[in-house]
């Protein structure tokens, strides 16, 4: 008899009508019926035949027992779904104590089942890859799959294919490691534990931010690398903060232990000039590893500061740069891995920004594996005070990334989680998180007393066996190893460390290796003297004409709005008729010339495709289809790649990302543009810790360009100043360039110098707003073809013998001073533009002063208030003559919100230039 014939007794017409309603509007019917039909659809997916077979069964006679059995099948299916959805809340993932979380009620009574059903067999078992099984067997399987030491959150994922893939993996019979694999896992655990023990013995009380309590991360990462290389991954890019970093460097990246010991011994560096180094647990490393199966994989651990999550953005930029440069046809060959602390991943806002990048065309990297080293406390703060979410990893839900929760005492579970994460990433190209829950054996650092703040927790930790002893005990019990196996491995590893320590103490200096040294072959470190040299940045008129012909011609078969047609036609006129090229045209010529010479150009930031001030229009949209047209892509001699992306509304993460990109690809002009200059405040950590200091700390070069619109146009406090004073305060020795250009040609040569030179320095450019269309802020074709970057532009409009006042100024203020000078008819005032503020062209400034032999008044003029702008920088760095300040008084805000008040202040600053008595 057909086993669905009993449905005839259940008023099939009513079933049919209600099911039709459910199909039209699932939320419109009573919840219990909705659940019933969801189970019906789910059961149909796993039945031997389609819904039509069930529908035909309605007309056949049945009995109430079969109806009851059918309803219980659905109840079991609903139970299964609840385990899949909420089982992670029941996992045994805390190695120290019971979890403090509100657990769901998955008792069978809650689903209309009874203990009498435990021995009943159910077809629903097939949905979890079991044969027809009893309810007790189904529950046992579900407990093992979803509620043991490894749990997973995934039911919020929208993509059904991903959901089904996860279920198929987890609910299948568990793969078992063979004896050799278990020995490999144990070997890495022994290394992880022995390394920390050795350091604790030899360097008592020294900070090392040990991994103890989370040692399972070492075999998990090691097995991941082996598996990734076998899957075709050729580059691994990792970022992590200090917790466990030395252990990862030594036992995963194979950094020579002797180098680590030299750092512990506090030796000076073999490089002195311009290099200060960093603490040992901030340093990075690049190394080549050959796996046991014979595959080569390049490993990169990026250096990072104590701002814990900043490096997450940097490694994404590094990964994307490698993908663009080497693996454009198969980006999955570059694998980013981000290691987080539980307190940091929950508390640091940059994590959310990075997660939002994961699927954006300008920033995606094909999926990142996020490993959270969860020690259940942040410095002295319990997790109950550190986050409102259940898990530290709940940010993963933003992009539907699954999360695995693992007990760090179960090393095999940690390894399985990591291998699953790799398979998932390679299959779907999206992010995945692993929450490895362990503990922190000591305080925040090894000199800290954790019992001050967590006495009960640390009583538990003091009695808890380490993961090596737990796992070796299992292998002893299974007779995979004998009692001497662990002792022998420990002694061998310890002997190797002792030998490395002895050898390291024969050397006077500590040596810091250059991160990603291979990418920087042929590039030299530059002193300030080299930065001030003149570089040949000229481009022939023929090449400029070819570029101009392309960027001033819209496709004839496309439809564009009239304003775009006029703008492009105006560019054609300025180049081919008037010979007065504006800022945007100069910028396009710079990019085009670099592309023809084989350099890449990458630009990102908020609204950069068009430009905040509608000046760039690097991407033009057709009127009827919004098709993107990039005229620079049509260059016939184009050898480099031009990429421009409107970014997400982020400064912090995006600047970090572009910094990482520039760190990896010195042959690409990498630019981040702020919507307004002071919006870079949101990325201040990247400026302080990376852009201004990375070369001194980590011996790395970086050519990132930051374009910061700057200028007082009565637009209020947040749209006037790019906070020039902050960048200049960071300038020292030879760490970066800071410029404020006044002509399109000088900007053109500045950008070209950035790539022509055989070194890289970050470049901060205060770019104009009103000058983008100022009739005087233009350059001739000759200025581009025959000029070079001018750090200083002297006044050519006055006779030196008539000059009484020499005024130094920058940027837009120059043009306003020129207008005032003309208005007053003052030919005794020379206006000298400082186009590059750092390195300051002191010798050229001295030459200018010597030229004006009758001058007795030397002025620094700025549009910013006295306590802002470049004034304090000039006082510290230029002592040839005393400088009288022409500016407004000091203010707390950069500018007034009242346009009337702003204009009065501005007029006062201008007046002070021409009247020393004000």
């Amino acid at each position: 008899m057909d086993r669905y014939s009993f449905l005839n007794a259940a008023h099939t017409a009513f079933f049919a009508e209600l099911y039709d309603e459910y199909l039209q509007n699932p939320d419109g019917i009573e919840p219990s019926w909705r659940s019933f039909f969801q189970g019906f659809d789910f059961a149909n997916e796993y039945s031997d035949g389609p819904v039509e077979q069930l529908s035909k069964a309605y007309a056949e006679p049945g009995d109430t027992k079969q109806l009851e059995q059918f309803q219980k099948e659905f109840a079991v299916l609903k139970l299964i779904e609840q385990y899949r959805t909420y089982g992670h809340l029941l996992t045994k993932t805390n190695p120290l104590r019971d979890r403090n979380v509100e657990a769901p009620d998955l008792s069978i009574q809650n689903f209309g089942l009874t203990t009498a059903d435990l021995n009943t067999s159910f077809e629903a078992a097939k949905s979890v890859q079991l044969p027809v099984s009893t309810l007790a067997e189904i529950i046992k399987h579900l407990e093992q799959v979803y509620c043991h030491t490894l749990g997973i959150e995934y039911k919020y994922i929208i993509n059904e294919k991903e959901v089904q893939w996860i279920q198929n993996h987890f609910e299948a019979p568990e793969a078992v490691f063979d004896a050799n694999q278990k020995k490999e896992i144990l070997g890495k655990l022994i290394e992880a534990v022995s390394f920390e023990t050795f350091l604790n013995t030899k360097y008592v009380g020294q900070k090392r931010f040990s991994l103890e309590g989370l040692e399972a991360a070492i075999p998990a990462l090691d097995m991941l690398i082996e598996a990734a290389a076998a899957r075709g991954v050729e580059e691994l890019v990792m970022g992590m903060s200090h917790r466990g970093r030395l252990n990862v460097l030594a036992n995963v990246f194979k950094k020579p232990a002797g180098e680590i010991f030299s750092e512990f011994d506090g030796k000076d560096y073999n490089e002195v000039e311009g290099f200060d180094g960093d603490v040992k647990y901030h340093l990075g490393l690049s190394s080549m590893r050959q796996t046991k199966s014979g595959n080569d994989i390049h490993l990169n651990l990026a250096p990072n500061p104590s701002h814990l999550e900043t490096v997450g953005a940097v490694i994404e930029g590094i990964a994307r740069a490698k993908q663009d440069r080497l693996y454009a046809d198969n980006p999955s060959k570059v694998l980013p891995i981000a290691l987080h602390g539980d307190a940091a991943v929950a508390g640091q806002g940059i994590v959310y920004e990075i997660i939002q990048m994961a699927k954006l065309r300008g920033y995606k990297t094909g999926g990142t594996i996020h490993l959270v080293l969860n020690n259940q406390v942040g410095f002295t703060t319990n997790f109950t005070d550190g986050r409102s979410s259940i898990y530290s990893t709940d940010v993963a839900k933003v992009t539907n990334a699954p999360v695995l929760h693992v007990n760090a005492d179960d090393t095999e579970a940690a390894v399985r989680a990591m291998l699953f994460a790799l398979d998932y990433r390679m299959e779907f190209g999206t992010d995945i998180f692993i929450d490895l829950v362990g503990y922190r054996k000591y305080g925040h650092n090894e000199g800290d007393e954790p019992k001050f703040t967590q006495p009960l927790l640390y009583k538990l930790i003091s009695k808890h066996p380490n993961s090596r002893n737990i796992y070796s005990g299992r292998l002893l019990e299974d007779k995979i190893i004998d009692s001497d196996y662990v002792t022998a491995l420990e002694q061998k590893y310890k002997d190797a460390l002792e030998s490395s320590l002895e050898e390291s103490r024969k050397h006077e200096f500590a040596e810091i290796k250059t991160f990603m040294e291979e990418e920087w072959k042929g590039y030299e470190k530059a002193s300030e003297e080299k930065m001030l040299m003149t570089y040949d940045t000229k481009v022939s008129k023929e090449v400029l004409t070819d570029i101009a012909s392309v960027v001033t011609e819209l496709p004839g078969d496309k439809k564009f709005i009239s304003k775009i047609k006029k703008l492009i036609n105006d560019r054609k006129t300025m180049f081919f008729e008037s010979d007065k090229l504006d800022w945007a045209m100069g910028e396009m010529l710079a990019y085009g010339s670099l592309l023809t010479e084989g350099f890449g150009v990458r630009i990102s930031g908020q609204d950069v495709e068009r430009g905040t001030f509608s000046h760039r229009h690097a991407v033009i949209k057709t009127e009827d289809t919004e098709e993107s047209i990039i005229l620079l892509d049509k260059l016939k001699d184009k050898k480099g790649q031009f990429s421009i992306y409107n970014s997400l509304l982020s400064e912090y993460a995006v600047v970090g990302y572009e910094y990482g990109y520039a760190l990896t690809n010195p042959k690409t002009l990498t630019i981040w543009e702020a919507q307004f200059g002071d919006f870079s405040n949101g990325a201040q950590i990247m400026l302080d810790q990376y852009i201004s200091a990375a070369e001194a700390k980590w011996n790395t070069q970086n050519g990132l360009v930051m374009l910061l619109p700057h200028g007082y146009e009565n637009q209020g406090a947040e749209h006037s100043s790019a906070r020039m004073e902050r960048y200049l305060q960071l300038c020292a020795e030879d760490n970066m360039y800071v410029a404020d250009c006044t002509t399109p040609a000088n900007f053109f040569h500045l950008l070209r110098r950035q790539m022509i030179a055989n070194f890289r320095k970050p470049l901060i450019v205060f770019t104009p707003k009103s000058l983008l269309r100022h009739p005087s802020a233009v350059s001739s074709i000759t200025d581009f073809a025959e000029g070079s970057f001018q750090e200083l532009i002297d006044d050519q409009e006055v006779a030196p013998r008539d000059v009484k006042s020499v005024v130094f100024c920058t940027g837009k203020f120059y043009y306003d001073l020129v207008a005032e000078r003309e208005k007053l008819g003052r030919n005794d005032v020379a206006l000298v533009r400082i186009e590059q503020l750092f390195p300051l062209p002191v010798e050229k400034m001295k030459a200018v002063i010597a030229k004006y032999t009758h001058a007795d008044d030397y002025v620094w003029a700025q549009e910013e208030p006295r306590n802002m702008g470049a004034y304090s920088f000039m006082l510290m760095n230029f002592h040839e003559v005393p400088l009288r300040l022409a500016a407004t008084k000091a203010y707390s805000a950069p500018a007034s919100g009242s346009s009337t008040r702003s204009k009065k202040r501005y007029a006062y600053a201008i007046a002070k230039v021409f009247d020393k008595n004000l």
Side-chain angles (χ1 to χ4, degrees):
M1 184 177 78
D2 190 297
R3 58 196 174 104
Y4 297 111
S5 62
F6 61 85
L7 287 172
N8 187 58
H11 303 289
T12 56
F14 172 71
F15 265 85
E17 288 178 11
L18 202 57
Y19 186 64
D20 286 339
E21 285 184 44
Y22 163 78
L23 292 175
Q24 293 296 321
N25 181 18
D27 295 329
I29 66 171
E30 199 272 330
S32 62
W33 278 110
R34 181 169 67 245
S35 298
F36 179 88
F37 286 124
Q38 287 171 340
F40 178 84
D41 287 344
F42 189 82
N44 177 65
E45 183 177 344
Y46 290 96
S47 67
D48 295 327
V51 173
E52 284 78 9
Q53 288 179 307
L54 301 180
S55 301
K56 290 176 183 177
Y58 288 170
E60 300 178 15
D63 59 53
T64 56
K65 285 186 178 179
Q66 286 179 308
L67 175 59
E68 183 182 348
Q69 175 66 12
F70 185 71
Q71 289 172 332
K72 286 188 175 182
E73 288 280 358
F74 282 126
V76 175
L77 286 171
K78 187 172 181 181
L79 175 67
I80 290 169
E81 279 299 285
Q82 294 297 88
Y83 267 95
R84 288 167 171 167
T85 304
Y86 300 113
H88 61 89
L89 294 170
L90 299 171
T91 50
K92 303 168 184 66
T93 50
N94 193 324
L96 298 175
R97 52 194 174 185
D98 292 336
R99 296 179 60 190
N100 181 21
V101 63
E102 185 176 348
D105 184 1
L106 297 184
S107 61
I108 57 175
Q109 292 78 10
N110 198 40
F111 298 87
L113 300 163
T114 67
T115 54
D117 297 314
L118 289 172
N119 294 321
T120 303
S121 295
F122 289 94
E123 293 278 339
K126 293 180 179 178
S127 70
V128 289
Q129 301 185 52
L130 291 175
V132 175
S133 305
T134 65
L135 178 58
E137 290 170 330
I138 293 171
I139 291 173
K140 181 180 179 182
H141 180 63
L142 292 172
E143 292 279 347
Q144 182 63 33
V145 168
Y146 290 111
C147 304
H148 195 46
T149 54
L150 171 60
I152 184 168
E153 292 181 274
Y154 70 101
K155 290 299 286 185
Y156 46 79
I157 295 175
I158 296 171
N159 186 322
E160 189 60 36
K161 182 180 178 183
E162 293 180 34
V163 171
Q164 195 60 56
W165 190 91
I166 292 170
Q167 287 174 184
N168 289 344
H169 179 97
F170 263 79
E171 294 167 359
E174 185 174 280
V176 178
F177 295 114
D178 62 33
N180 287 331
Q181 290 173 318
K182 289 174 185 282
K183 287 180 179 179
E184 286 178 18
I185 292 170
L186 177 60
K188 297 309 292 185
L189 263 184
I190 289 170
E191 289 180 8
V193 173
S194 299
F195 179 79
E196 300 292 357
T197 303
F198 188 86
L199 291 181
N200 196 39
T201 303
K202 300 296 183 181
Y203 299 99
V204 179
Q206 278 210 45
K207 291 181 183 180
R208 69 178 192 275
F209 298 98
S210 82
L211 191 59
E212 288 162 282
L214 288 160
E215 295 97 333
I218 298 301
L221 287 167
D222 189 74
M223 295 283 276
L224 168 74
I225 291 169
E226 293 283 332
R231 292 289 302 267
V233 173
E234 296 185 19
E235 295 262 4
L236 185 145
V237 182
M238 185 186 295
M240 67 181 297
S241 55
H242 44 263
R243 176 70 55 201
R245 187 183 190 88
L246 296 177
N247 210 315
V248 169
L249 281 166
N251 293 318
V252 177
F253 282 74
K254 305 300 182 185
K255 179 174 181 175
E259 294 180 13
I260 296 174
F261 299 146
S262 289
E263 293 155 12
F264 269 101
D265 287 335
K267 297 175 183 176
D268 202 353
Y269 306 106
N270 53 3
E271 289 193 48
V272 179
E273 190 66 33
F275 179 72
D276 288 327
D278 201 354
V279 290
K280 47 197 166 288
Y281 38 80
H282 286 175
L283 302 176
L285 184 72
S286 295
S287 63
M288 183 64 75
R289 171 169 166 173
Q290 186 173 75
T291 65
K292 295 179 180 68
S293 56
N295 297 300
D296 289 333
I297 183 168
H298 192 229
L299 308 179
N300 304 276
L301 178 62
N304 75 295
S306 285
H307 295 73
L308 306 178
E309 293 293 340
T310 56
V311 75
V314 175
I315 64 164
E316 298 297 341
I318 292 172
R320 178 60 178 261
K322 286 179 175 289
Q323 289 170 342
D324 287 353
R325 189 169 61 89
L326 301 171
Y327 305 102
D329 295 335
N330 190 0
S332 67
K333 290 189 174 189
V334 181
L335 172 61
I337 301 178
L339 272 64
H340 313 266
D342 55 308
V345 76
Q348 298 291 300
I350 191 175
V351 178
Y352 179 84
E353 297 180 32
I354 296 167
I355 296 300
Q356 285 288 15
M357 290 177 163
K359 298 183 180 181
L360 304 181
R361 65 188 179 93
Y363 307 94
K364 61 185 178 181
T365 55
T368 298
I369 296 175
H370 298 265
L371 174 61
V372 178
L373 300 176
N374 187 341
N375 56 35
Q376 307 186 58
V377 61
F379 199 164
T380 67
T381 304
N382 289 318
F383 71 87
T384 51
D385 291 321
R387 64 175 187 266
S388 298
S389 59
I390 294 176
Y391 294 112
S392 64
T393 52
D394 281 345
V395 70
K397 297 179 175 72
V398 170
T399 53
N400 291 317
V403 182
L404 300 157
H405 300 281
V406 194
N407 187 320
D409 275 357
D410 187 344
T411 306
E412 286 190 14
V415 173
R416 282 199 301 273
M418 192 66 89
L419 296 178
F420 171 83
L422 174 67
D423 288 344
Y424 181 85
R425 186 267 182 179
M426 299 302 285
E427 180 72 20
F428 297 106
T430 57
D431 286 11
I432 182 168
F433 281 70
I434 300 170
D435 177 21
L436 185 64
V437 185
Y439 53 91
R440 187 185 68 193
K441 185 174 180 180
Y442 303 104
H444 178 65
N445 61 65
E446 286 63 34
D448 186 42
E449 176 51 79
K451 290 181 182 177
F452 286 151
T453 48
Q454 279 86 19
L456 295 179
L457 175 63
Y458 275 85
K459 281 183 182 179
L460 294 174
I461 291 172
S462 66
K463 299 173 184 176
H464 194 76
N466 65 41
S467 54
R468 173 202 57 192
N469 293 343
I470 293 171
Y471 191 57
S472 62
R474 282 179 55 185
L475 299 194
L476 274 167
E477 187 178 328
D478 294 340
K479 296 185 173 20
I480 292 173
I481 62 172
D482 59 32
S483 57
D484 296 328
Y485 185 84
V486 172
T487 304
L489 282 184
E490 285 179 337
Q491 190 60 49
K492 181 180 178 182
Y493 187 75
K494 182 182 177 183
D495 289 346
L497 293 180
E498 288 281 8
S499 177
S500 295
L501 178 60
E502 184 180 341
E503 180 63 28
S504 73
R505 288 180 171 168
K506 296 176 182 177
H507 303 285
E508 181 182 358
F509 296 106
E511 182 179 355
I512 304 299
K513 292 182 179 177
T514 301
F515 177 60
M516 291 197 299
E517 191 170 14
E518 188 67 27
E519 282 82 350
W520 289 89
K521 281 185 177 177
Y523 292 89
E524 302 175 358
K525 293 193 69 175
S527 63
E528 188 172 308
E529 290 73 26
K530 191 169 183 180
M531 292 171 71
L532 284 165
M533 289 171 57
T534 299
Y535 293 86
D536 184 4
T537 55
K538 299 189 292 294
V539 177
S540 70
K541 288 187 178 181
E542 291 74 20
V543 170
L544 292 172
T545 301
D546 289 343
I547 297 168
S549 299
V550 171
V551 299
T552 61
E553 191 68 45
L554 291 170
D557 58 343
K558 309 286 184 184
K559 186 178 180 182
F560 300 92
I561 64 172
S562 57
K563 287 184 178 180
I564 283 291
K565 290 190 285 188
K566 181 180 185 305
L567 184 146
I568 298 300
N569 190 60
D570 287 347
R571 290 183 180 177
K572 179 178 284 190
T573 300
M574 69 176 68
F575 189 92
F576 293 100
E577 296 179 24
S578 65
D579 195 19
K580 292 181 179 179
L581 281 59
D582 68 4
W583 198 273
M585 192 62 184
E587 188 179 345
M588 297 297 278
L589 291 175
Y591 302 149
S593 65
L594 290 171
L595 292 169
T596 61
E597 293 169 19
F599 296 105
V601 176
R602 175 184 165 93
I603 308 171
S604 85
Q606 295 153 27
D607 311 295
V608 295
E609 293 180 5
R610 187 200 75 175
T612 298
F613 310 104
S614 294
H615 84 286
R616 181 173 293 117
H617 293 285
V619 178
I620 298 168
K621 297 295 183 76
T622 59
E623 183 176 3
D624 46 0
T625 64
E626 290 194 6
E627 176 188 355
S628 295
I629 305 294
I630 299 177
L631 296 177
L632 282 169
D633 281 345
K634 301 179 183 299
L635 292 172
K636 64 180 180 180
D637 294 324
K638 178 171 165 283
K639 301 180 185 70
Q641 179 66 37
F642 180 73
S643 305
I644 185 165
Y645 303 104
N646 286 341
S647 74
L648 65 160
L649 197 65
S650 155
E651 290 85 30
Y652 190 1
V654 174
V655 170
Y657 188 102
E658 301 304 340
Y659 178 88
Y661 198 99
L663 182 65
T664 313
N665 196 344
K667 292 187 182 300
T668 291
L669 178 67
T670 307
I671 297 174
W672 177 76
E673 182 177 59
Q675 196 171 69
F676 285 88
D678 72 342
F679 289 8
S680 64
N681 289 348
Q684 195 66 46
I685 289 172
M686 298 308 309
L687 302 170
D688 292 345
Q689 312 305 327
Y690 287 87
I691 291 169
S692 65
E695 186 170 348
K697 292 194 297 185
W698 306 320
N699 208 22
T700 56
Q701 295 191 57
N702 196 295
L704 177 66
V705 179
M706 297 180 67
L707 304 183
L708 308 178
H710 176 87
Y712 281 60
E713 281 107 352
N714 310 310
Q715 295 296 311
E718 277 73 52
H719 301 91
S720 297
S721 173
R723 295 290 193 174
M724 186 183 292
E725 63 279 0
R726 295 185 180 174
Y727 297 90
L728 294 174
Q729 187 181 34
L730 294 172
C731 290
E733 297 177 310
D734 47 25
N735 64 335
M736 57 184 174
Y737 283 113
V738 177
D740 189 3
C741 301
T742 58
T743 72
N746 220 26
F747 183 54
F748 168 92
H749 290 294
L750 176 67
L751 292 178
R752 286 185 50 76
R753 182 186 70 178
Q754 190 71 359
M755 302 307 291
I756 297 299
N758 68 338
F759 60 88
R760 295 288 180 265
K761 302 283 183 181
L763 168 61
I764 312 300
V765 189
F766 301 102
T767 55
K769 295 178 286 185
S770 61
L771 289 194
L772 297 173
R773 295 172 178 83
H774 196 291
S776 298
V778 294
S779 301
S780 68
I781 296 172
T782 301
D783 294 331
F784 295 91
E786 298 180 7
S788 63
F789 178 70
Q790 304 297 305
E791 293 93 350
L792 176 151
I793 301 178
D794 196 5
D795 198 330
Q796 303 300 318
E797 304 300 319
V798 293
R801 63 181 179 278
D802 297 332
V803 170
K804 301 295 184 184
S805 294
V806 178
V807 179
F808 296 103
C809 62
T810 68
K812 162 188 168 289
F813 204 41
Y814 164 77
Y815 290 97
D816 295 325
L817 294 177
V818 168
E820 184 70 9
R821 183 175 65 181
E822 291 176 356
K823 175 183 170 183
L824 297 174
R826 294 281 298 274
N827 62 358
D828 61 337
V829 177
L831 301 175
V832 182
R833 289 170 271 178
I834 307 299
E835 301 281 290
Q836 178 174 290
L837 287 153
F838 192 83
L840 190 66
V842 173
E843 295 305 316
K844 291 184 178 181
M845 293 175 70
K846 289 180 179 179
V848 164
I849 288 171
K851 171 183 171 182
Y852 297 109
T853 55
H854 296 99
D856 59 5
D857 179 35
Y858 302 96
V859 182
W860 177 258
Q862 63 181 44
E863 51 190 338
E864 303 88 355
R866 177 188 184 92
N867 57 320
M868 302 177 194
Y871 177 54
S872 59
F873 172 80
M874 295 303 298
L875 289 180
M876 286 190 292
N877 291 277
F878 189 70
H879 310 291
E880 185 71 10
V881 292
L883 292 173
R884 175 172 65 86
L885 175 65
T888 62
K889 74 181 187 72
Y891 290 102
S892 56
S896 171
S898 162
S899 60
T900 299
R901 182 173 293 184
S902 291
K903 289 174 183 176
K904 286 180 180 177
R905 291 179 181 175
Y906 200 73
Y908 174 75
I910 291 175
K912 283 192 73 171
V913 172
F914 298 95
D915 187 348
K916 64 177 71 174
N917 296 315
L918 281 178

